[in-house]
Amino acid sequence: MRSNTARLAQALCLTLVTAATAHAADYTHYVTGDPRDVVTPTRGLVVLQGGGDDVDENYVRMGRLGGGGDFVVLRASGADEYNDYIFDLCACDSVETLVFSSRAAAFDPFVIETIEHAEALFIAGGDQSRYVRFWQGTPVETAIESVAAKPAPIGGTSAGMAVLGEFAYSAMSDASLTSERALSDPFNEDLTLARNFLDLPGMENVITDQHVEERNRIGRTVALLARLLHDGWTADARAIAADRETALHVDPATGKAQVFATAEHETPYVWFLRATHPPEQCAAGKPLVFPDVQVYRIGPGESFDLDTWRGEGGIAYSFSAEGGTLASSRGEIY
């Protein structure tokens, strides 16, 4: 890490460095702070936010566990909206954003080097199908995994969270999958899945979902689990589903997870779903029949252990899907 004197020098010239941009045919690069690479000691963290307004604590903790090094944001739409916001929170040497406009950018040496040198990495929201199309099977995929393996903090929100599990709802159709369509026909054209994309510690056998209560998506989460089991992708299907303005922070070394949220969100919950038995009916054109999917819900101040798949302080119950609807053992779905 650089000395306080060096940081003062950076502050004095910040107006010259902030919002510097570089354009290539297939990506745009923005940097706030010192564009030179630094190397700092890092610790692992996985941040899963369900979309909506960002949780400040994400970037405070990622910056701290990233040792105040270089923070990199990846996205496939938008521009540098994150740079100043994160820079003010993370106490970092720099915040850089790479905006991808094609798959070709995933083979660019500068892009790969920028990702590999990150001490913290965050994938923004947007359209996860673009991340799958642009990154799967490319050096970007490997570079992202190398950051997590340092270990160093890695996270994502909304579409960025969607691609952090071993399995992903890939959103390849023109319409976003709804719970109604997923439960009525788990093979409808909107239910698209990806596997073998990112290999992150603690995310084995996991698929994620976002904006859950806000957009009534827990039914589609159950349908996603059903497909993973039916298609033979895993015998132990697990899901982590988060509502908007709610983030789960996972310590990959211990599996321990806790929730952070914006002060304004009144129901900041994360749901952990697990199914080890196949659905009774999972067929094209027929309603899903899938009883006894285990659920554990936590909020701020409560915790969950991904290694043992057990929670503390939250609520345990179960879901059953039948006839195109979802029922809860506790009466309330959420």
Side-chain angles (χ1 to χ4, degrees), residues 53-74:
D53 292 343
D54 287 278
V55 177
D56 291 352
E57 188 66 16
N58 293 347
Y59 311 105
V60 173
R61 297 190 80 203
M62 291 181 74
R64 182 169 67 247
L65 296 180
D70 298 318
F71 197 121
V72 174
V73 178
L74 304 181

Side-chain angles (χ1 to χ4, degrees), residues 156-323:
T157 184
S158 194
M161 175 181 170
V163 298
L164 295 183
E166 179 179 354
F167 311 113
Y169 162 57
S170 55
M172 291 295 184
S173 73
D174 292 335
S176 181
L177 178 66
T178 66
S179 289
E180 180 181 10
R181 284 177 60 81
L183 294 171
S184 298
D185 178 4
F187 279 84
N188 81 77
E189 63 184 8
D190 295 337
L191 201 162
T192 60
L193 294 165
R195 66 190 302 189
N196 300 325
F197 183 17
L198 295 179
D199 182 10
L200 302 181
M203 295 293 106
E204 301 85 2
N205 295 315
V206 169
I207 193 165
T208 68
D209 213 346
Q210 308 77 35
H211 299 277
V212 175
E213 184 173 6
E214 176 194 10
R215 300 179 186 176
N216 190 28
R217 284 180 169 171
I218 204 73
R220 86 172 189 180
T221 312
V222 170
L224 295 174
L225 289 178
R227 280 290 304 274
L228 295 179
L229 291 164
H230 176 275
D231 295 0
W233 287 12
T234 179
D236 184 10
R238 307 180 183 199
I240 299 174
D243 202 27
R244 64 179 179 86
E245 299 178 20
T246 305
L248 185 75
H249 290 198
V250 181
D251 182 342
T254 65
K256 300 293 191 299
Q258 59 187 138
V259 173
F260 296 89
T262 63
E264 295 78 14
H265 193 26
E266 296 179 354
T267 55
Y269 297 124
V270 175
W271 293 263
F272 301 85
L273 287 69
R274 186 178 189 182
T276 57
H277 61 86
E280 293 181 4
Q281 177 172 281
C282 184
K286 296 182 179 181
L288 178 66
V289 179
F290 196 15
D292 197 30
V293 177
Q294 299 303 303
V295 187
Y296 199 87
R297 190 196 78 184
I298 66 171
E302 299 158 355
S303 63
F304 197 84
D305 188 323
L306 270 65
D307 290 346
T308 63
W309 208 256
R310 294 179 181 272
E312 184 174 344
I315 300 174
Y317 55 114
S318 65
F319 289 140
S320 293
E322 187 171 4

